[in-house]
């Protein structure tokens, strides 16, 4: 089942912060975050595993709330280069589906000068 | 290391025709996944192959099929093309160990007229 991302779109000024949420109705084992710039392939940002620590990529961090089946991506002091569409991908806890990542519809982030 | 290579980059086909897309994974990656990307729908999982075996399949009709060769290269085939099949088709490879990240290719843009 496709995870739900919110918001669908957000516009920031350079230096502002943003939070993108990813929720699933199914038990999660891992959450992936990717960023896709226009006309380019999605690029991996980080993975959060059940029971794991909060992860960080430059000034972008993420958390994983196992009880709520929810992950949040925190963009701090946003830069123009952060613009793009952010996707969360989730994998369930059953062994056979570990590499079946189900992605949300994405959050379009625009950072303006 | 060379990234994931997808060919061709662009394809224009007519309804009813069939098409084959190719994906060469990163050297050493044995898992290859395919996704369909359309505006507003995000990344829809098609299937995942590991060591020439299809391990997971998404909710797509049987017109969509794939295979993986002994060198981990993968092909995806769509028969009896429909207008709704117009999309960006992305291939991603991974080490498939410990929930390793997906590395995406630049995709094949398929247009069905």
């Amino acid at each position: 089942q496709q995870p739900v991302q919110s918001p669908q779109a957000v516009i920031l000024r350079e230096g502002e912060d943003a939070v993108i949420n990813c929720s699933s109705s199914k038990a999660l084992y891992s959450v992936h975050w990717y960023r896709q710039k226009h006309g380019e392939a999605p690029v991996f940002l980080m993975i959060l595993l059940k029971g794991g620590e909060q992860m960080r990529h430059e000034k972008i961090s993420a958390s994983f709330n196992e009880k709520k089946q929810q992950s949040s991506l925190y963009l701090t002091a946003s830069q123009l280069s952060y613009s793009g569409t952010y996707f969360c991908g989730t994998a369930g806890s059953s062994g056979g589906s570990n590499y079946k990542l189900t992605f949300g519809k994405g959050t379009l982030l625009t950072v303006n000068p | 290391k060379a990234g994931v290579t997808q060919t061709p980059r662009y394809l224009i086909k007519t309804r009813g025709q069939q098409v084959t897309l190719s994906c060469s994974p990163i050297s050493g990656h044995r898992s290859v996944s395919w996704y369909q990307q359309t505006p507003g729908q995000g990344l829809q999982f098609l299937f995942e192959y590991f060591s020439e075996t299809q391990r997971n399949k998404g909710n797509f009709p049987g017109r969509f099929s794939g295979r993986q060769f002994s060198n981990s290269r993968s092909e995806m085939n769509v028969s009896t093309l429909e207008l709704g099949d117009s999309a960006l088709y992305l291939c991603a490879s991974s080490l498939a160990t410990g929930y390793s990240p997906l590395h995406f290719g630049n995709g094949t843009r398929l247009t069905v007229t």
Side-chain angles (χ1 to χ4, degrees):
Chain A
Q1 203 156 0
Q2 192 172 33
V4 177
Q5 288 186 234
S6 62
Q8 290 184 323
V10 59
I11 300 174
L12 301 173
R13 288 210 177 275
E14 212 173 353
E16 292 182 336
D17 302 339
V19 180
I20 299 172
N21 296 306
C22 174
S23 297
S24 174
S25 59
K26 290 174 55 175
L28 298 178
Y29 192 94
S30 67
V31 179
H32 294 217
W33 285 96
Y34 294 79
R35 176 172 61 205
Q36 184 179 30
K37 293 181 180 287
H38 184 68
E40 299 180 9
V43 173
F44 169 76
L45 292 175
M46 62 189 80
I47 289 179
L48 297 106
L49 301 179
K50 185 177 178 180
E53 299 176 354
Q54 183 175 24
M55 299 298 291
R56 191 168 191 86
H57 170 83
E58 298 175 347
K59 290 185 179 177
I60 301 173
S61 62
S63 64
F64 180 17
N65 187 323
E66 297 166 32
K67 287 183 181 178
K68 291 185 178 180
Q69 308 303 335
Q70 184 177 28
S71 178
S72 295
L73 190 72
Y74 307 93
L75 299 100
T76 306
S78 59
Q79 306 168 13
L80 296 176
S81 61
Y82 286 4
S83 292
T85 301
Y86 289 77
F87 292 98
C88 71
T90 59
S93 56
S94 59
S97 62
N98 285 346
Y99 292 93
K100 177 183 175 179
L101 268 190
T102 304
F103 285 92
K105 293 186 178 182
T107 295
L108 177 61
L109 180 77
T110 304
V111 181
N112 293 321
Chain B
K1 231 182 198 181
V4 177
T5 304
Q6 290 188 247
T7 56
R9 287 297 307 277
Y10 302 93
L11 267 178
I12 300 176
K13 292 287 187 178
T14 305
R15 269 180 303 178
Q17 289 186 314
Q18 75 165 18
V19 66
T20 299
L21 313 181
S22 180
C23 172
S24 293
I26 291 173
S27 178
H29 286 192
R30 294 165 66 189
S31 171
V32 174
S33 301
W34 288 89
Y35 289 86
Q36 181 194 66
Q37 186 173 31
T38 53
Q41 291 303 311
L43 298 157
Q44 301 290 310
F45 176 80
L46 282 156
F47 25 68
E48 186 252 349
Y49 286 88
F50 181 83
S51 292
E52 302 179 65
T53 301
Q54 185 182 88
R55 295 200 299 184
N56 289 291
K57 192 176 191 306
N59 296 324
F60 278 81
R63 300 185 297 106
F64 291 82
S65 62
R67 58 178 177 170
Q68 186 180 33
F69 301 95
S70 58
N71 61 358
S72 293
R73 191 177 71 82
S74 177
E75 286 183 349
M76 189 191 97
N77 186 75
V78 187
S79 62
T80 321
L81 285 166
E82 300 178 0
L83 294 178
D85 296 334
S86 295
L88 178 67
Y89 290 88
L90 291 163
C91 160
S93 73
S94 78
L95 285 171
T97 58
Y99 307 95
S100 44
L102 299 183
H103 298 265
F104 286 88
N106 286 323
T108 294
R109 172 76 60 185
L110 172 65
T111 302
V112 182
T113 62

Coordinates of all heavy atoms in Angstrom, one line a residue, chain B residues 39-113:
Chain B
P39 N 3.2 11.6 -13.9 CA 2.9 12.8 -13.1 C 1.7 12.6 -12.1 O 0.7 12.0 -12.5 CB 2.4 13.9 -14.1 CG 3.1 13.4 -15.4 CD 3.1 11.9 -15.3
G40 N 1.9 12.9 -10.9 CA 0.9 12.8 -9.9 C 0.8 11.4 -9.2 O 0.1 11.3 -8.2
Q41 N 1.4 10.4 -9.8 CA 1.3 9.1 -9.2 C 2.6 8.6 -8.6 O 2.7 7.5 -8.0 CB 1.0 8.0 -10.3 CG -0.5 8.2 -10.8 CD -1.5 8.1 -9.7 OE1 -1.4 7.2 -8.9 NE2 -2.4 9.0 -9.6
G42 N 3.6 9.4 -8.7 CA 4.9 9.0 -8.1 C 5.5 7.8 -8.8 O 5.4 7.6 -10.0
L43 N 6.2 7.0 -8.0 CA 6.9 5.8 -8.5 C 6.1 4.6 -8.2 O 6.0 4.2 -7.1 CB 8.3 5.7 -7.9 CG 9.2 6.9 -8.2 CD1 10.3 7.0 -7.1 CD2 9.9 6.8 -9.5
Q44 N 5.6 3.9 -9.3 CA 4.9 2.7 -9.1 C 5.8 1.5 -9.4 O 6.4 1.4 -10.4 CB 3.7 2.7 -10.1 CG 2.7 3.9 -9.9 CD 1.9 3.8 -8.7 OE1 1.3 2.8 -8.4 NE2 1.9 4.9 -7.9
F45 N 5.8 0.6 -8.4 CA 6.7 -0.6 -8.5 C 6.1 -1.6 -9.5 O 5.0 -2.0 -9.5 CB 6.8 -1.3 -7.1 CG 7.5 -2.5 -7.1 CD1 8.9 -2.5 -7.0 CD2 6.9 -3.8 -7.1 CE1 9.6 -3.7 -7.0 CE2 7.6 -4.9 -7.0 CZ 9.0 -4.9 -7.0
L46 N 7.0 -2.0 -10.4 CA 6.7 -3.0 -11.4 C 7.1 -4.4 -11.0 O 6.3 -5.3 -10.8 CB 7.3 -2.6 -12.8 CG 6.6 -1.5 -13.5 CD1 7.6 -0.8 -14.5 CD2 5.4 -2.1 -14.3
F47 N 8.4 -4.6 -10.9 CA 8.9 -5.9 -10.4 C 10.4 -5.7 -10.0 O 11.0 -4.7 -10.3 CB 8.8 -7.0 -11.4 CG 8.8 -6.6 -12.9 CD1 9.8 -6.0 -13.5 CD2 7.6 -6.7 -13.6 CE1 9.8 -5.6 -14.8 CE2 7.5 -6.4 -14.9 CZ 8.6 -5.8 -15.5
E48 N 10.9 -6.8 -9.3 CA 12.3 -6.8 -8.8 C 12.8 -8.2 -9.1 O 12.2 -9.2 -8.9 CB 12.3 -6.5 -7.3 CG 13.8 -6.4 -6.8 CD 14.2 -7.6 -6.0 OE1 13.4 -8.4 -5.6 OE2 15.4 -7.7 -5.7
Y49 N 14.1 -8.1 -9.6 CA 14.8 -9.4 -10.0 C 16.0 -9.5 -9.1 O 16.7 -8.5 -8.9 CB 15.1 -9.4 -11.4 CG 13.9 -9.7 -12.3 CD1 13.1 -8.6 -12.8 CD2 13.6 -11.0 -12.7 CE1 12.0 -8.9 -13.6 CE2 12.5 -11.2 -13.5 CZ 11.7 -10.2 -13.9 OH 10.6 -10.5 -14.7
F50 N 16.4 -10.7 -8.8 CA 17.6 -11.0 -8.0 C 18.1 -12.3 -8.5 O 17.4 -13.3 -8.5 CB 17.3 -11.0 -6.5 CG 18.6 -11.3 -5.7 CD1 19.4 -10.2 -5.4 CD2 18.9 -12.5 -5.3 CE1 20.5 -10.4 -4.6 CE2 20.0 -12.8 -4.5 CZ 20.9 -11.7 -4.2
S51 N 19.3 -12.3 -9.0 CA 20.0 -13.5 -9.6 C 19.1 -14.2 -10.5 O 18.8 -15.4 -10.4 CB 20.4 -14.4 -8.4 OG 21.4 -13.8 -7.7
E52 N 18.5 -13.5 -11.5 CA 17.7 -14.0 -12.6 C 16.3 -14.5 -12.2 O 15.6 -15.0 -13.0 CB 18.5 -15.2 -13.3 CG 19.8 -14.8 -13.8 CD 20.5 -15.9 -14.5 OE1 20.0 -16.4 -15.6 OE2 21.6 -16.4 -14.0
T53 N 15.9 -14.2 -10.9 CA 14.6 -14.7 -10.4 C 13.8 -13.5 -10.1 O 14.3 -12.5 -9.4 CB 14.8 -15.6 -9.2 OG1 15.5 -16.7 -9.5 CG2 13.4 -16.0 -8.7
Q54 N 12.5 -13.5 -10.5 CA 11.6 -12.4 -10.1 C 11.2 -12.6 -8.7 O 10.5 -13.6 -8.4 CB 10.4 -12.3 -11.0 CG 9.5 -11.1 -10.7 CD 8.3 -11.1 -11.6 OE1 7.3 -11.7 -11.3 NE2 8.4 -10.5 -12.8
R55 N 11.5 -11.7 -7.8 CA 11.2 -11.9 -6.3 C 9.9 -11.2 -6.0 O 9.2 -11.7 -5.1 CB 12.3 -11.4 -5.5 CG 13.6 -12.2 -5.6 CD 14.5 -12.0 -4.4 NE 14.9 -10.6 -4.2 CZ 15.7 -10.2 -3.3 NH1 16.3 -11.1 -2.5 NH2 16.0 -8.9 -3.2
N56 N 9.6 -10.1 -6.6 CA 8.5 -9.3 -6.2 C 7.8 -8.7 -7.5 O 8.6 -8.4 -8.4 CB 8.8 -8.2 -5.3 CG 9.2 -8.7 -3.9 OD1 8.3 -9.2 -3.2 ND2 10.4 -8.6 -3.5
K57 N 6.5 -8.6 -7.5 CA 5.8 -8.0 -8.6 C 4.8 -7.0 -8.1 O 4.1 -7.3 -7.1 CB 5.1 -9.2 -9.4 CG 4.6 -8.8 -10.7 CD 4.0 -10.0 -11.5 CE 3.8 -9.7 -12.9 NZ 2.9 -8.5 -13.1
G58 N 4.6 -6.0 -8.8 CA 3.6 -4.9 -8.5 C 2.3 -5.3 -9.1 O 2.1 -6.3 -9.8
N59 N 1.4 -4.3 -9.0 CA 0.0 -4.5 -9.5 C -0.1 -4.0 -10.9 O -0.9 -3.1 -11.2 CB -1.0 -3.9 -8.6 CG -1.0 -4.5 -7.2 OD1 -0.8 -5.7 -7.1 ND2 -1.1 -3.7 -6.2
F60 N 0.5 -4.6 -11.8 CA 0.5 -4.2 -13.2 C 0.0 -5.5 -14.0 O 0.2 -6.6 -13.6 CB 1.8 -3.8 -13.8 CG 2.2 -2.4 -13.4 CD1 2.7 -2.0 -12.2 CD2 2.0 -1.4 -14.4 CE1 3.0 -0.7 -11.9 CE2 2.3 0.0 -14.1 CZ 2.8 0.3 -12.8
P61 N -0.7 -5.2 -15.2 CA -1.2 -6.3 -16.0 C -0.1 -7.1 -16.5 O 1.0 -6.7 -16.6 CB -2.0 -5.6 -17.1 CG -1.6 -4.2 -17.1 CD -1.1 -3.9 -15.7
G62 N -0.5 -8.3 -17.0 CA 0.5 -9.3 -17.5 C 1.2 -8.8 -18.8 O 2.2 -9.4 -19.2
R63 N 0.7 -7.7 -19.4 CA 1.4 -7.1 -20.5 C 2.8 -6.6 -20.2 O 3.7 -6.5 -21.1 CB 0.6 -5.9 -21.1 CG -0.8 -6.3 -21.5 CD -1.5 -5.1 -22.2 NE -1.7 -3.9 -21.3 CZ -0.9 -2.8 -21.3 NH1 0.0 -2.6 -22.2 NH2 -1.2 -1.8 -20.4
F64 N 3.0 -6.4 -18.9 CA 4.3 -5.9 -18.4 C 5.1 -7.2 -17.9 O 4.6 -7.9 -17.0 CB 4.1 -4.9 -17.3 CG 3.6 -3.6 -17.7 CD1 2.2 -3.5 -17.8 CD2 4.4 -2.5 -17.9 CE1 1.7 -2.3 -18.2 CE2 3.9 -1.3 -18.3 CZ 2.5 -1.2 -18.5
S65 N 6.2 -7.4 -18.5 CA 7.0 -8.5 -18.1 C 8.5 -8.1 -18.1 O 8.9 -7.1 -18.6 CB 6.8 -9.7 -19.0 OG 7.2 -9.4 -20.3
G66 N 9.3 -8.9 -17.5 CA 10.7 -8.6 -17.4 C 11.5 -9.9 -17.3 O 11.0 -11.0 -17.2
R67 N 12.8 -9.7 -17.3 CA 13.7 -10.8 -17.1 C 15.1 -10.2 -16.7 O 15.4 -9.1 -17.0 CB 13.9 -11.7 -18.3 CG 14.3 -11.0 -19.6 CD 14.5 -12.0 -20.7 NE 14.8 -11.4 -22.0 CZ 15.2 -12.1 -23.1 NH1 15.2 -13.4 -23.0 NH2 15.5 -11.5 -24.2
Q68 N 15.9 -11.1 -16.1 CA 17.3 -10.7 -15.8 C 18.2 -11.8 -16.3 O 17.9 -13.0 -16.2 CB 17.4 -10.6 -14.2 CG 18.7 -10.0 -13.8 CD 18.9 -9.8 -12.3 OE1 18.3 -10.6 -11.5 NE2 19.6 -8.8 -11.9
F69 N 19.3 -11.3 -16.8 CA 20.3 -12.2 -17.3 C 21.4 -12.6 -16.3 O 21.5 -12.0 -15.2 CB 20.9 -11.6 -18.6 CG 19.9 -11.3 -19.6 CD1 19.4 -10.0 -19.7 CD2 19.5 -12.3 -20.5 CE1 18.4 -9.7 -20.7 CE2 18.5 -12.0 -21.5 CZ 18.0 -10.7 -21.6
S70 N 22.2 -13.5 -16.6 CA 23.3 -14.0 -15.7 C 24.3 -12.9 -15.3 O 24.9 -12.9 -14.3 CB 24.0 -15.2 -16.2 OG 24.6 -14.9 -17.5
N71 N 24.4 -11.9 -16.1 CA 25.3 -10.8 -15.8 C 24.6 -9.6 -15.1 O 25.1 -8.5 -15.0 CB 26.0 -10.2 -17.1 CG 24.9 -9.7 -18.1 OD1 23.7 -9.7 -17.8 ND2 25.4 -9.2 -19.2
S72 N 23.4 -9.9 -14.6 CA 22.5 -9.0 -13.9 C 21.8 -7.9 -14.7 O 20.9 -7.2 -14.2 CB 23.3 -8.3 -12.7 OG 23.6 -9.2 -11.7
R73 N 22.2 -7.8 -16.0 CA 21.4 -6.9 -16.9 C 20.0 -7.3 -16.9 O 19.6 -8.5 -16.8 CB 22.0 -6.9 -18.3 CG 21.5 -5.8 -19.2 CD 22.3 -5.9 -20.5 NE 21.9 -7.0 -21.3 CZ 20.8 -7.0 -22.1 NH1 20.0 -6.0 -22.2 NH2 20.5 -8.1 -22.8
S74 N 19.1 -6.4 -17.1 CA 17.7 -6.7 -17.1 C 17.0 -6.0 -18.2 O 17.4 -5.0 -18.7 CB 17.0 -6.2 -15.7 OG 15.6 -6.5 -15.7
E75 N 15.9 -6.7 -18.7 CA 15.0 -6.1 -19.7 C 13.6 -6.1 -19.2 O 13.2 -7.0 -18.4 CB 15.1 -6.9 -21.0 CG 16.4 -6.7 -21.8 CD 16.4 -7.5 -23.1 OE1 15.5 -8.4 -23.3 OE2 17.3 -7.3 -23.9
M76 N 12.9 -5.1 -19.7 CA 11.5 -5.0 -19.4 C 10.7 -4.9 -20.7 O 11.1 -4.2 -21.6 CB 11.2 -3.8 -18.6 CG 9.8 -3.7 -18.0 SD 9.4 -2.1 -17.4 CE 8.5 -1.4 -18.7
N77 N 9.6 -5.7 -20.8 CA 8.9 -5.7 -22.1 C 7.4 -5.3 -21.8 O 6.8 -5.7 -20.8 CB 8.9 -7.1 -22.7 CG 8.2 -7.2 -24.0 OD1 8.8 -6.7 -25.0 ND2 7.0 -7.7 -24.1
V78 N 6.9 -4.5 -22.7 CA 5.5 -4.2 -22.6 C 4.9 -4.5 -23.9 O 5.3 -4.0 -25.0 CB 5.2 -2.7 -22.3 CG1 3.8 -2.4 -22.0 CG2 6.1 -2.2 -21.1
S79 N 3.9 -5.4 -23.9 CA 3.2 -5.8 -25.1 C 1.9 -5.0 -25.3 O 1.3 -4.5 -24.3 CB 3.0 -7.3 -25.1 OG 2.1 -7.7 -24.1
T80 N 1.3 -5.0 -26.5 CA 0.0 -4.4 -26.8 C -0.1 -3.1 -26.1 O -0.9 -2.8 -25.2 CB -1.1 -5.3 -26.3 OG1 -0.8 -6.7 -26.6 CG2 -2.4 -4.9 -27.1
L81 N 0.8 -2.2 -26.4 CA 0.9 -0.9 -25.8 C -0.5 -0.1 -25.8 O -1.2 -0.1 -26.8 CB 2.0 0.0 -26.4 CG 3.4 -0.4 -26.1 CD1 4.4 0.3 -27.0 CD2 3.7 0.0 -24.6
E82 N -0.7 0.6 -24.7 CA -1.9 1.4 -24.6 C -1.4 2.9 -24.3 O -0.3 3.1 -23.8 CB -2.8 1.0 -23.4 CG -3.3 -0.5 -23.6 CD -4.1 -0.9 -22.4 OE1 -4.2 -0.1 -21.4 OE2 -4.6 -2.1 -22.4
L83 N -2.3 3.8 -24.6 CA -1.9 5.2 -24.4 C -1.5 5.5 -22.9 O -0.6 6.3 -22.7 CB -3.1 6.2 -24.7 CG -3.5 6.2 -26.2 CD1 -4.8 7.1 -26.4 CD2 -2.4 6.6 -27.1
G84 N -2.1 4.8 -22.0 CA -1.8 5.0 -20.6 C -0.5 4.5 -20.2 O -0.1 4.7 -19.0
D85 N 0.2 3.8 -21.1 CA 1.5 3.3 -20.7 C 2.6 4.3 -20.9 O 3.8 4.1 -20.6 CB 1.9 2.1 -21.6 CG 0.9 0.9 -21.4 OD1 0.4 0.8 -20.3 OD2 0.8 0.1 -22.3
S86 N 2.2 5.5 -21.5 CA 3.2 6.6 -21.6 C 3.7 7.0 -20.2 O 2.9 7.3 -19.4 CB 2.5 7.8 -22.3 OG 2.1 7.4 -23.6
A87 N 5.0 7.0 -20.0 CA 5.5 7.2 -18.7 C 7.0 7.2 -18.8 O 7.6 6.9 -19.8 CB 5.1 6.2 -17.7
L88 N 7.6 7.6 -17.7 CA 9.1 7.4 -17.5 C 9.3 6.1 -16.8 O 8.7 5.9 -15.7 CB 9.7 8.6 -16.7 CG 11.2 8.5 -16.4 CD1 12.0 8.7 -17.8 CD2 11.6 9.6 -15.5
Y89 N 10.1 5.2 -17.4 CA 10.4 3.9 -16.8 C 11.8 3.9 -16.2 O 12.7 4.1 -16.9 CB 10.2 2.8 -17.8 CG 8.7 2.6 -18.1 CD1 8.2 3.3 -19.2 CD2 7.9 1.7 -17.4 CE1 6.8 3.2 -19.5 CE2 6.6 1.6 -17.7 CZ 6.0 2.3 -18.7 OH 4.7 2.2 -19.0
L90 N 11.8 3.8 -14.9 CA 13.1 3.8 -14.2 C 13.5 2.4 -13.7 O 12.7 1.7 -13.2 CB 12.9 4.7 -12.9 CG 12.8 6.2 -13.2 CD1 12.2 6.9 -12.0 CD2 14.1 6.9 -13.7
C91 N 14.8 2.2 -13.9 CA 15.4 1.0 -13.4 C 16.3 1.4 -12.2 O 16.9 2.4 -12.2 CB 16.2 0.3 -14.5 SG 17.4 -0.8 -14.0
A92 N 16.4 0.5 -11.2 CA 17.3 0.8 -10.1 C 18.0 -0.5 -9.7 O 17.4 -1.6 -9.7 CB 16.4 1.3 -8.9
S93 N 19.2 -0.4 -9.3 CA 19.9 -1.5 -8.9 C 20.4 -1.4 -7.4 O 20.5 -0.2 -6.9 CB 21.2 -1.8 -9.8 OG 22.2 -0.9 -9.6
S94 N 20.7 -2.5 -6.8 CA 21.1 -2.4 -5.4 C 21.9 -3.6 -5.0 O 21.9 -4.6 -5.8 CB 20.0 -2.2 -4.4 OG 19.3 -3.5 -4.2
L95 N 22.7 -3.5 -3.9 CA 23.4 -4.7 -3.5 C 22.5 -5.8 -2.9 O 22.9 -6.9 -2.7 CB 24.5 -4.2 -2.4 CG 25.7 -3.5 -3.0 CD1 26.5 -2.9 -1.8 CD2 26.5 -4.5 -3.8
A96 N 21.3 -5.3 -2.5 CA 20.3 -6.3 -1.9 C 20.9 -6.9 -0.6 O 20.6 -8.1 -0.4 CB 19.9 -7.3 -2.9
T97 N 21.7 -6.2 0.1 CA 22.1 -6.7 1.4 C 21.8 -5.6 2.5 O 22.1 -4.5 2.4 CB 23.6 -6.9 1.4 OG1 24.3 -5.7 1.1 CG2 24.0 -8.0 0.4
G98 N 21.1 -6.1 3.5 CA 20.8 -5.2 4.6 C 20.0 -3.9 4.2 O 20.3 -2.8 4.7
Y99 N 19.1 -4.0 3.3 CA 18.3 -2.9 2.9 C 19.2 -1.8 2.3 O 19.0 -0.6 2.7 CB 17.5 -2.4 4.1 CG 16.7 -3.6 4.7 CD1 17.2 -4.3 5.8 CD2 15.5 -4.0 4.2 CE1 16.5 -5.3 6.4 CE2 14.8 -5.0 4.7 CZ 15.3 -5.7 5.8 OH 14.7 -6.8 6.4
S100 N 20.0 -2.2 1.4 CA 20.9 -1.2 0.8 C 20.0 -0.3 -0.1 O 19.0 -0.6 -0.6 CB 21.9 -1.9 0.0 OG 21.4 -3.0 -0.7
P101 N 20.5 0.9 -0.4 CA 19.8 1.9 -1.2 C 19.7 1.5 -2.6 O 20.5 0.7 -3.2 CB 20.6 3.2 -1.0 CG 22.0 2.7 -0.7 CD 21.8 1.5 0.1
L102 N 18.7 2.1 -3.3 CA 18.5 1.9 -4.7 C 19.3 3.0 -5.5 O 19.3 4.2 -5.1 CB 17.0 2.1 -5.1 CG 16.0 1.1 -4.5 CD1 14.6 1.3 -5.0 CD2 16.5 -0.4 -4.8
H103 N 19.9 2.6 -6.5 CA 20.6 3.5 -7.4 C 19.9 3.5 -8.7 O 19.8 2.5 -9.4 CB 22.1 3.0 -7.6 CG 22.9 3.0 -6.4 ND1 23.7 4.0 -6.0 CD2 23.0 2.1 -5.4 CE1 24.3 3.7 -4.8 NE2 23.8 2.6 -4.5
F104 N 19.3 4.7 -9.1 CA 18.4 4.7 -10.2 C 19.2 5.1 -11.5 O 20.2 5.9 -11.4 CB 17.3 5.8 -10.0 CG 16.2 5.4 -9.1 CD1 16.4 5.5 -7.7 CD2 15.1 4.8 -9.6 CE1 15.3 5.1 -6.9 CE2 14.1 4.3 -8.8 CZ 14.2 4.5 -7.4
G105 N 18.7 4.6 -12.6 CA 19.2 5.1 -13.9 C 18.4 6.3 -14.3 O 17.5 6.7 -13.6
N106 N 18.8 6.9 -15.4 CA 18.1 8.1 -15.9 C 16.7 7.9 -16.5 O 16.0 8.8 -16.8 CB 19.0 8.9 -16.9 CG 20.1 9.6 -16.1 OD1 19.9 10.1 -15.0 ND2 21.3 9.6 -16.8
G107 N 16.4 6.6 -16.8 CA 15.1 6.3 -17.2 C 14.9 6.2 -18.7 O 15.8 6.8 -19.5
T108 N 13.9 5.6 -19.2 CA 13.5 5.6 -20.6 C 12.1 6.3 -20.6 O 11.2 5.9 -20.0 CB 13.3 4.2 -21.1 OG1 14.6 3.6 -21.1 CG2 12.7 4.2 -22.5
R109 N 12.0 7.3 -21.4 CA 10.8 8.1 -21.6 C 10.0 7.4 -22.8 O 10.4 7.5 -23.9 CB 11.0 9.5 -21.9 CG 9.8 10.3 -22.3 CD 8.9 10.7 -21.1 NE 9.6 11.5 -20.1 CZ 9.1 11.8 -18.9 NH1 7.9 11.4 -18.6 NH2 9.7 12.5 -18.1
L110 N 8.9 6.7 -22.4 CA 8.1 6.1 -23.5 C 6.8 6.9 -23.7 O 6.1 7.3 -22.8 CB 7.7 4.7 -23.0 CG 6.7 3.9 -23.8 CD1 7.3 3.6 -25.2 CD2 6.2 2.6 -23.1
T111 N 6.6 7.2 -25.0 CA 5.4 7.9 -25.4 C 4.7 7.0 -26.4 O 5.2 6.5 -27.4 CB 5.8 9.2 -26.2 OG1 6.5 10.0 -25.3 CG2 4.5 9.9 -26.6
V112 N 3.4 6.7 -26.1 CA 2.5 5.9 -26.9 C 1.5 6.8 -27.6 O 0.8 7.5 -26.9 CB 1.8 4.8 -26.1 CG1 1.0 3.9 -27.0 CG2 2.8 4.0 -25.3
T113 N 1.5 6.7 -28.9 CA 0.5 7.6 -29.7 C -0.5 6.7 -30.4 O -0.4 5.5 -30.5 CB 1.3 8.4 -30.7 OG1 1.9 7.5 -31.6 CG2 2.4 9.2 -30.1

